């Protein structure tokens, strides 16, 4: 094989724990046809591979590594881009990066002005990626003092520059308009005899200075063979300007200086309004990034010192006074306080924190002083994970955007053809060169590919940001789009619909029941104490629930004098000279204890999904205690709201059918899938999908991982501080099922805005481009390029402004409450 055919790649490998791991990969790779040589450096965790690109590609090699249980580490970076003027600019950068060797995937978000790049650092460096962006005519903003600071500075700089250009353009456009229409004035203007030359002198700086950004953008686009809106603007305004210069030099004919400068003024105004609106849509994201504390007070060598938050290390003891922001994540070691966690969970009520409780960076300490040991710092903190999830979501594309990208790539060439055809047709119809030129300019100026390119990313940007504000983390644009199509919501029972921790729900003393002929008089407090003594040394969850309840009531639970566990029946203990039995019906029956008085009550409790345990004292039935896994707060409200939204709500559990039906009845679920083993949950989701349903699975993200992955949308609930979960397309930070409602309603609201924006953008261009081409002549105001420029500016601004209205989103619950 010639060297020309051979290609070498170096891959970073993750998951290797010993030399054998490296040998496993080395044995697998040569079996791929086309792999010439493969060696794995275990110490460096790198694979060096020579292969024939005509026989095997890099993806196949990486897939082979994955198949044997290891992974190729990909780097991810999000870069801030400046200089983009429309969706076609974004496509140019995206296309360029995706063609670079070592880049797995690049997604450029025009609305957010970012490039999210997944790449192999061994094949292409970050500097090379930045260089590639700059080579096609755009720039990468290097952060100074924080990414959010650089982004805000750049946006402020852009808006400030546009304002100066607009003021300059207006200041010159006014005299140009006045002199161009001087014949209508009742007096003679100074230098009126030199009007053509005066208009030339005034218009030239507007055309070349104010229009500079359009010309540069057009040059970049044409150089990259990807014409964009700047090309249309440049051709349209230049046609008006240079034709006017020609007439000025010739000395005869109509001048279009007013058209040229007015177009530039309207276009700059439109760009300013668009930049301002885009800044509003990303406000939620900037707010998240601005939550981070700048400094922290730590104890080192016995001294309390203030350091930059970047210097806090895991294990440091951090001191936070009342009113201060908690800088990093940790565990409280001293103190007691209420902490406002709204920035993370969306919950406005402060959460009490004591020794042993966890605290989260960016939350606010309200009342007392806290000391805590730092457990997560830097990129590992909850806030950093949330920001990363949000950034990844904003760097992704919703499926609907693919259609827009295809249309946008053909849009500008189609407009150029339309404008040229309209010019030729009107000229051949005898309307004259001036009229045909006016039509040509109007068509070019009124076309607006930006509106199409902005509709989807701006709405997703606001939707994802709004979700993050409410503790709903949407991982991708695809998840946000899919959620609005859902037809069925499947809830895991334990830990999702229910708390997953058994609690004592009923304490019923036999002496309180009507018709009790027995002599035993045991009140409810004594009954609970006897049961707790019997279960004190038990590790069973039901026994723990009883002991916990007694402790909450401040009962002194002593050790029994005698203990005897009776497997399958219960326990027998002696306490305070009394013989106590705690267990099921069989236990009572074997000890000839009548439970007739309690039987009806016991059955009623069991029908409600509770586990009832009988208590006997000195061979007399003393009462019963019921324990159950109680419903999660707001679960009934969430289920009711989802059903009112037209969704089928299904409960999935491993419990027996009777208990499952009892819980389902309490929560209001119509359909129950009971006695399902953990490993079979994904199959149940698959069966629902085979019924033609688009399904969401809602679970805790641990035992439910396969089912979450199988579902069209996996919703991981109550992940608390562990928000960087692999499972789940949507992560809900707090244990509140109403956030499931929020995520779906937010998806519906976002998709509504996207569809409205796309409808407006497509309708605008479909209707107004022909109108500008003169199909309604002579009843056509848009034949004037100035009105065409105003319409084009309004189109982009209206789409962005409409998307920004999502910031007003509030979830609507069946009871009228809000999250």
């Amino acid at each position: 094989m010639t060297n020309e055919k051979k290609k070498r790649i170096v891959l970073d490998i993750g998951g290797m724990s010993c030399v054998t791991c490296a040998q496993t990969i080395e044995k697998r790779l040569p079996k791929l046809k086309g792999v010439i040589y493969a060696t794995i450096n275990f110490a460096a965790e790198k694979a060096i591979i020579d292969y024939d690109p005509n026989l095997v590609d890099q993806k196949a090699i990486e897939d082979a590594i994955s198949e044997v249980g290891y992974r190729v580490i990909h780097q991810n970076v999000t870069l801030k881009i400046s200089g983009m003027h429309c969706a076609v600019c974004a496509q140019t950068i995206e296309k360029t990066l995706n063609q670079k060797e070592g880049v797995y995937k690049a997604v450029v978000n025009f609305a957010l002005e970012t490039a999210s790049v997944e790449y192999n650092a061994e094949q292409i460096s970050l500097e090379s990626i930045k260089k590639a962006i700059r080579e096609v005519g755009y720039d990468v903003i290097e952060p100074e003092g924080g990414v959010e600071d650089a982004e805000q500075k750049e946006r402020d700089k852009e808006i400030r520059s546009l304002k100066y250009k607009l003021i300059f353009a207006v200041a010159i456009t006014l005299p140009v308009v006045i002199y161009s229409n001087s014949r209508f004035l009742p007096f003679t203007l100074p230098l009126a005899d030199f009007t053509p030359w005066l208009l030339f002198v005034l218009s030239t700086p507007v055309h070349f200075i104010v229009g500079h950004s359009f010309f540069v953008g057009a040059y970049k686009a044409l150089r990259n063979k990807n014409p964009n809106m700047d090309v249309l603007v440049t051709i349209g305004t230049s046609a008006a300007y240079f034709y006017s210069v020609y007439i000025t030099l010739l000395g005869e004919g109509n001048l279009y200086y007013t058209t040229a400068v007015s177009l530039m003024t309207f276009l700059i105004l439109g760009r300013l309004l668009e930049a301002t609106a885009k800044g509003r849509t990303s406000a939620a994201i900037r707010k998240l990034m601005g939550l981070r504390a700048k400094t922290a007070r730590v104890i080192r060598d016995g001294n309390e010192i203030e350091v930059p938050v970047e210097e806090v290390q895991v294990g440091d003891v951090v001191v936070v006074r009342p009113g201060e922001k908690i800088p990093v994540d940790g565990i409280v070691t001293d103190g007691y306080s209420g902490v406002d966690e709204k920035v993370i969970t969306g919950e406005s009520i402060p959460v009490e924190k004591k020794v042993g409780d966890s605290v989260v960076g960016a939350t606010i300490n309200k009342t007392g002083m806290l000391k805590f040991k730092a457990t997560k710092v830097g990129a590992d903190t909850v806030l950093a994970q949330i920001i990363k999830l949000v950034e990844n979501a904003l760097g992704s594309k919703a499926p609907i955007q693919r259609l827009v990208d295809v249309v946008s790539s053909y849009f500008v060439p189609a407009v150029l053809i339309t404008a040229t055809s309209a010019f030729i047709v009107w000229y051949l119809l005898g309307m004259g060169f001036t009229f045909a030129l006016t039509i040509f300019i109007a068509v070019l100026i009124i076309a607006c590919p930006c509106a199409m390119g902005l509709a989807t990313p701006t709405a997703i940007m606001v939707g994802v940001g709004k979700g993050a504000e409410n503790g709903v983390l949407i991982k991708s644009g695809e998840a946000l789009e899919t959620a609005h199509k859902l037809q069925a919501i499947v809830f895991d029972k334990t830990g999702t619909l229910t708390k997953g921790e058994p609690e004592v729900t009923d304490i019923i003393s036999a002496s309180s029941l009507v018709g009790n002929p027995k002599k035993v008089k045991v009140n409810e407090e004594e009954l609970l104490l006897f049961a707790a003594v019997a279960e004190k040394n038990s590790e069973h969850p039901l026994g723990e629930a009883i002991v916990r309840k007694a402790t909450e009531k401040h009962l002194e639970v002593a050790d029994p004098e005698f203990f005897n566990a009776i497997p399958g029946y219960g326990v027998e203990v002696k306490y305070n000279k009394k013989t106590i039995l705690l267990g099921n019906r069989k236990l009572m029956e074997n000890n000839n204890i009548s439970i007739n008085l309690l039987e009806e009550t016991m059955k009623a409790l069991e029908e409600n999904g509770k586990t009832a345990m009988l208590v006997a004292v000195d061979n007399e039935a003393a009462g019963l205690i019921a324990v159950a896994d109680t419903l999660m707060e707001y679960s009934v409200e969430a289920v009711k709201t989802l059903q009112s939204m037209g969704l089928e709500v299904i409960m999935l559990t491993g419990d027996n059918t009777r208990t499952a039906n009892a819980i389902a009845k309490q929560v209001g679920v119509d359909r129950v899938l009971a006695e399902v083993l953990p490993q079979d949950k994904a199959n149940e989701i698959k069966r629902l999908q085979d019924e033609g349903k688009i399904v969401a699975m809602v679970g805790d993200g641990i035992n439910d991982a396969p089912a979450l992955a199988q579902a069209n949308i996996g919703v991981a609930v109550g992940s608390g501080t562990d928000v960087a979960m692999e499972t789940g397309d949507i992560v809900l930070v707090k244990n509140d099922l109403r956030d499931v409602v929020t995520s779906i309603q937010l998806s519906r609201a976002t998709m509504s805005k996207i569809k409205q924006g796309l409808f407006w953008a497509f309708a605008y261009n479909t209707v107004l481009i022909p109108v500008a081409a003169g199909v309604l002549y002579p009843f056509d105001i848009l034949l004037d390029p100035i009105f065409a420029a105003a319409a084009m500016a309004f189109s982009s601004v209206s789409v962005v402004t409409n998307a920004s209205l999502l910031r007003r989103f509030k979830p609507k619950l069946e009871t009228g409450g809000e999250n």
Side-chain angles (χ1 to χ4, degrees):
M1 180 177 293
T2 62
N3 287 332
E4 285 77 18
K5 287 185 178 181
K6 188 171 77 170
K7 190 173 182 181
R8 168 167 287 188
I9 55 170
V10 179
L11 303 174
D12 291 320
I13 308 297
M16 294 191 297
S17 57
C18 64
V19 176
T20 306
C21 299
Q23 293 172 349
T24 301
I25 302 172
E26 282 183 350
K27 289 178 182 178
R28 174 68 182 91
L29 290 179
K31 294 178 182 178
L32 280 178
K33 186 178 180 180
V35 173
I36 306 162
Y37 167 81
T39 183
I40 311 299
N41 186 321
F42 169 65
E45 296 187 315
K46 294 184 187 297
I48 302 170
I49 304 155
D50 292 337
Y51 68 100
D52 183 349
N54 296 318
L55 298 176
V56 66
D57 60 16
Q58 184 171 331
K59 184 179 184 304
I61 293 172
E62 294 192 11
D63 288 344
I65 295 172
S66 298
E67 284 170 8
V68 293
Y70 306 95
R71 68 183 186 279
V72 177
I73 299 172
H74 296 177
Q75 302 294 326
N76 291 277
V77 67
T78 300
L79 302 172
K80 187 70 178 175
I81 310 296
S82 67
M84 294 191 293
H85 301 306
C86 70
V88 182
C89 299
Q91 290 175 11
T92 299
I93 301 171
E94 197 171 282
K95 182 179 177 181
T96 300
L97 292 178
N98 281 318
Q99 289 174 343
K100 291 291 180 182
E101 185 174 359
V103 173
Y104 297 107
K105 183 180 180 183
V107 177
V108 179
N109 189 312
F110 167 51
L112 196 58
E113 298 177 324
T114 59
S116 299
V117 188
E118 181 182 352
Y119 67 101
N120 179 5
E122 297 291 340
Q123 290 177 282
I124 186 170
S125 67
L126 180 57
E127 287 306 313
S128 297
I129 292 171
K130 293 177 181 178
K131 182 181 178 182
I133 294 171
R134 291 180 174 124
E135 282 178 349
V136 293
Y138 304 93
D139 199 11
V140 179
I141 303 169
E142 301 290 353
E144 298 175 5
V147 175
E148 68 276 12
D149 294 335
E151 291 181 6
Q152 188 58 43
K153 285 178 182 177
E154 186 64 23
R155 189 172 296 283
D156 291 343
K157 179 182 175 182
E158 179 191 7
I159 291 175
R160 189 163 53 249
S161 173
L162 289 170
K163 283 180 179 177
Y164 291 150
K165 287 181 179 179
L166 180 62
I167 292 170
F168 178 70
V170 170
I172 292 182
T173 299
L174 288 175
V176 168
V177 171
I178 292 171
Y179 269 90
S180 295
N181 296 279
S182 60
R183 62 185 181 280
F184 299 112
L185 298 176
F187 55 87
T188 302
L189 292 169
L191 304 174
D193 293 339
F194 302 96
T195 293
W197 289 101
L198 183 60
L199 294 178
F200 166 73
V201 170
L202 290 172
S203 300
T204 298
V206 173
H207 185 72
F208 288 104
I209 296 175
V210 176
H212 177 262
S213 60
F214 295 104
F215 302 148
V216 172
Y219 168 73
K220 295 175 186 175
L222 292 174
R223 189 182 68 180
N224 295 305
K225 300 176 182 178
N226 204 0
N228 62 4
M229 189 197 76
D230 290 335
V231 172
L232 302 180
V233 169
T234 298
I235 294 174
T237 56
S238 296
Y241 172 78
F242 286 111
Y243 177 73
S244 299
V245 172
Y246 171 75
I247 295 299
T248 300
L249 295 173
L250 192 65
E252 185 177 344
N254 295 321
L255 297 174
Y256 278 87
Y257 288 120
T258 302
T259 299
V261 297
S262 299
L263 285 177
M264 280 298 178
T265 302
F266 271 112
L267 291 169
I268 287 295
L269 173 62
R271 190 160 281 184
L272 172 62
L273 294 174
E274 183 182 307
T276 305
K278 282 161 65 179
R280 287 198 301 269
T281 62
S282 60
I285 312 303
R286 293 200 310 273
K287 181 180 176 182
L288 268 179
M289 300 183 77
L291 291 174
R292 291 178 285 195
K294 301 294 187 293
T295 61
R297 195 177 289 107
V298 300
I299 297 176
R300 290 180 182 167
D301 299 325
N303 297 317
E304 190 177 298
I305 61 172
E306 190 169 290
V307 299
V309 72
E310 293 82 9
E311 295 181 14
V312 179
Q313 300 174 3
V314 173
D316 276 342
V317 175
V318 183
V319 180
V320 186
R321 296 194 174 97
E324 293 182 342
K325 190 176 288 186
I326 293 173
V328 296
D329 301 356
I331 302 293
V332 177
T333 57
D334 186 29
Y336 178 87
S337 182
V339 174
D340 183 351
E341 296 185 335
K342 184 178 181 180
V343 295
I344 301 296
T345 66
E347 183 60 56
S348 58
I349 300 174
V351 180
E352 293 182 358
K353 299 292 181 180
K354 59 184 183 302
V355 174
D357 289 342
S358 60
V359 290
V360 180
T363 57
I364 299 172
N365 182 30
K366 301 294 284 186
T367 52
M369 189 175 79
L370 290 175
K371 290 183 181 179
F372 67 90
K373 180 179 287 187
T375 56
K376 292 181 179 179
V377 300
D380 295 327
T381 63
V382 171
L383 182 65
Q385 292 174 37
I386 289 175
I387 291 172
K388 183 178 179 181
L389 284 179
V390 171
E391 287 177 339
N392 289 343
L394 295 176
S396 66
K397 285 189 177 181
I400 197 171
Q401 181 68 23
R402 294 169 195 153
L403 169 65
V404 179
D405 289 345
V406 171
V407 173
S408 296
S409 64
Y410 293 103
F411 183 82
V412 174
V415 171
L416 287 169
I417 292 171
T418 302
T420 304
S421 300
F423 173 86
I424 294 171
V425 168
W426 284 112
Y427 184 75
L428 293 178
L429 287 175
M431 297 299 292
F433 178 82
T434 299
F435 182 84
L437 180 64
T438 302
I439 293 287
F440 176 77
I441 295 171
V443 172
L444 293 179
I445 296 301
I446 205 167
C448 188
C450 287
M452 292 186 292
L454 287 168
T456 299
T458 49
I460 286 178
M461 181 162 56
V462 182
V464 169
K466 195 66 184 177
E469 279 185 8
N470 287 277
V472 177
L473 307 179
I474 300 164
K475 287 189 173 183
S476 67
E478 184 173 359
L480 188 63
E481 179 176 337
T482 303
H484 92 287
K485 304 174 185 176
L486 291 172
Q487 298 165 306
I489 310 291
V490 179
F491 285 96
D492 176 58
K493 181 184 80 68
T494 306
T496 303
L497 282 175
T498 64
K499 293 181 179 178
E501 295 180 0
E503 293 182 2
V504 174
T505 58
D506 300 88
I507 304 172
I508 300 172
S509 170
S511 60
S512 67
L513 297 175
V514 177
N516 180 17
K518 303 299 179 183
K519 298 177 182 178
V520 175
K521 299 292 183 182
V522 178
N523 61 34
E524 292 181 358
E525 187 174 285
E526 290 173 320
L527 191 68
L528 177 60
L529 176 61
F530 291 153
V533 169
E535 293 284 7
K536 183 175 183 182
N537 298 314
S538 171
E539 295 181 357
H540 194 283
L542 300 181
E544 291 176 352
I546 292 173
V547 175
R548 186 167 59 248
K549 185 70 171 180
T551 304
E552 290 173 0
K553 288 185 170 292
H554 305 292
L555 300 179
E556 187 175 340
V557 183
D559 288 322
E561 298 154 10
F562 167 81
F563 177 85
N564 178 34
I566 308 170
Y569 296 93
V571 295
E572 176 187 3
V573 301
K574 290 189 182 297
Y575 167 70
N576 201 17
K577 298 181 181 180
K578 297 181 184 296
T579 299
I580 301 168
L581 293 173
L582 174 70
N584 55 24
R585 290 179 178 86
K586 285 286 186 181
L587 179 65
M588 301 301 153
E589 183 181 322
N590 291 347
N591 286 275
N592 297 316
I593 298 172
S594 174
I595 59 168
N596 293 338
L597 186 66
L598 297 167
E599 185 64 46
E600 188 177 338
T601 303
M602 191 171 183
K603 285 181 179 178
L605 292 169
E606 289 173 339
E607 287 172 359
N608 286 323
K610 301 176 182 179
T611 300
M613 289 173 282
L614 292 157
V615 181
V617 178
D618 292 336
N619 291 320
E620 296 282 354
L624 55 80
I625 293 181
V627 177
D629 189 359
T630 55
L631 292 180
M632 193 73 73
E633 191 177 11
Y634 307 122
S635 59
V636 175
E637 188 176 354
V639 168
K640 187 177 181 182
T641 305
L642 290 168
Q643 290 170 335
S644 72
M645 293 164 60
L647 296 162
E648 181 182 7
V649 181
I650 301 166
M651 188 177 80
L652 183 64
T653 179
D655 283 351
N656 63 71
T657 302
R658 185 176 68 177
T659 302
N661 286 333
I663 296 294
K665 184 177 179 182
Q666 291 177 35
V667 79
V669 173
D670 299 322
R671 184 174 175 182
V672 179
L673 301 175
E675 300 180 21
V676 180
L677 297 175
Q679 61 267 30
D680 293 332
K681 288 183 178 180
N683 292 332
E684 291 295 335
I685 299 296
K686 180 71 166 58
R687 287 192 186 96
L688 291 170
Q689 291 171 327
D690 290 341
E691 294 175 14
K693 293 181 172 65
I694 299 175
V695 182
M697 172 67 191
V698 184
D700 59 17
I702 303 170
N703 298 327
D704 305 316
L708 289 171
Q710 175 63 46
N712 299 92
I713 291 290
V715 182
V717 181
S719 55
T721 57
D722 186 21
V723 297
M725 306 176 72
E726 292 300 322
T727 54
D729 304 290
I730 297 174
V731 177
L732 308 183
V733 176
K734 56 185 186 293
N735 275 324
D736 190 336
L737 293 187
R738 295 178 299 179
D739 287 344
V740 177
V741 176
T742 299
S743 63
I744 296 173
Q745 290 183 349
L746 182 60
S747 170
R748 291 182 176 183
T750 303
M751 288 308 300
S752 176
K753 290 298 180 187
I754 289 174
K755 289 175 181 177
Q756 289 170 15
L758 289 177
F759 173 81
W760 166 253
F762 280 114
Y764 165 89
N765 286 293
T766 301
V767 173
L768 294 191
I769 289 177
V771 170
V775 295
L776 298 181
Y777 178 80
F779 308 103
D780 195 347
I781 191 174
L782 290 176
L783 290 178
D784 188 331
I786 295 174
F787 289 105
M792 188 274 284
F794 175 74
S795 177
S796 288
V797 173
S798 64
V799 167
V800 176
T801 302
N802 185 50
S804 69
L805 294 177
L806 264 176
R807 291 184 299 152
R808 301 177 183 176
F809 168 82
K810 289 183 179 180
K812 296 177 182 177
L813 296 159
E814 185 65 15
T815 59
E818 293 175 3
N819 253 353

